[in-house]
């Protein structure tokens, strides 16, 4: 049975720290819903009502466009190990880019990773847990290095050029605000 919380508890924070994968979901007022898997060492709980992740350069930038338009975001974690649990964080999100004043302070919570694009912050409005009994068991093998290798090969200038070509608007044409 689902339970709701106003903020993250120490137990839920510990659960999040054990996960190798999480999902982000955003949607514009009109257009495609975006659901993206995230991994690597990019996740941080800043406090019981604020979380953030280091967003890496990818083929699209839907999350930034949707957050810029309306701020709505859901993050989901689920256990693939013996103890089942699904955890959803609902709230208002925003992006912080390297040109913004908050960047330096937020970046202290992360290790620099090749291809860093922005930091996504979620101010939690509600936390929900549910059973996860239908989620299959999987064994974690290792992180995938492909995205990091790509960013390293491109170099800082190559990544900026890629972001200018591929990350300025959503699939539906909404601006992302990246590199402004």
């Amino acid at each position: 049975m689902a339970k709701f919380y106003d903020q993250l508890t120490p137990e839920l924070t510990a659960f999040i720290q054990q996960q190798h994968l999480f999902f982000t979901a955003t949607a514009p007022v009109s257009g495609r819903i975006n659901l993206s898997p995230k991994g690597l060492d990019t996740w941080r709980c800043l406090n019981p009502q604020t979380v953030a992740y280091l967003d890496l350069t990818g083929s699209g930038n839907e999350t930034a466009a949707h957050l810029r338009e309306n701020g709505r975001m859901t993050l989901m974690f689920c256990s693939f190990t013996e103890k089942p649990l699904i955890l959803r964080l609902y709230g208002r999100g925003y992006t912080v880019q390297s040109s913004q004043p908050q960047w330096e302070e937020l970046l202290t919570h992360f290790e620099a990773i090749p291809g860093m694009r922005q930091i996504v912050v979620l101010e939690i409005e509600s936390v929900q847990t549910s059973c996860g009994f239908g989620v299959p068991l999987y064994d974690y093998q290792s992180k995938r290095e492909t995205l990091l290798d790509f960013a390293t090969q491109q170099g800082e200038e190559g990544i900026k050029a890629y972001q200018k070509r591929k990350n300025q608007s959503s699939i539906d044409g909404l601006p992302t605000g990246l590199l402004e």
Side-chain angles (χ1 to χ4, degrees), residues 56-163:
L56 306 178
T57 300
S59 58
N61 198 5
E62 301 302 296
T63 299
H66 298 168
L67 293 179
R68 184 178 175 148
E69 183 196 47
N70 61 50
R72 297 177 306 147
M73 182 177 217
T74 300
L75 301 174
M76 186 185 81
F77 299 83
C78 59
S79 172
F80 295 103
T81 60
E82 285 192 34
K83 185 177 178 189
L85 182 68
I86 297 171
L87 172 65
R88 291 179 183 90
L89 309 178
Y90 302 98
R92 309 297 288 174
Y94 59 91
T95 61
V96 176
Q97 298 171 19
S98 62
S99 62
Q100 294 175 292
Q102 274 184 283
W103 176 263
E104 290 302 323
E105 189 277 321
L106 282 171
L107 193 58
T108 64
H109 298 279
F110 302 93
E111 288 188 34
I113 295 177
M116 297 182 305
R117 177 168 57 189
Q118 57 211 348
I119 297 172
V120 177
V121 179
L122 180 71
E123 294 173 353
I124 296 170
E125 295 173 344
S126 179
V127 176
Q128 178 200 22
T129 60
S130 58
C131 68
F133 292 166
V135 176
L137 295 172
Y138 280 103
D139 290 324
Y140 175 76
Q141 293 179 18
S142 68
K143 66 181 181 178
R144 201 180 296 260
E145 300 285 339
T146 310
L147 188 61
L148 302 177
D149 293 343
F150 169 77
T152 300
Q153 289 171 355
Q154 296 298 306
E156 193 171 327
E157 291 306 311
I159 286 294
K160 291 264 189 254
Y162 183 90
Q163 290 172 347

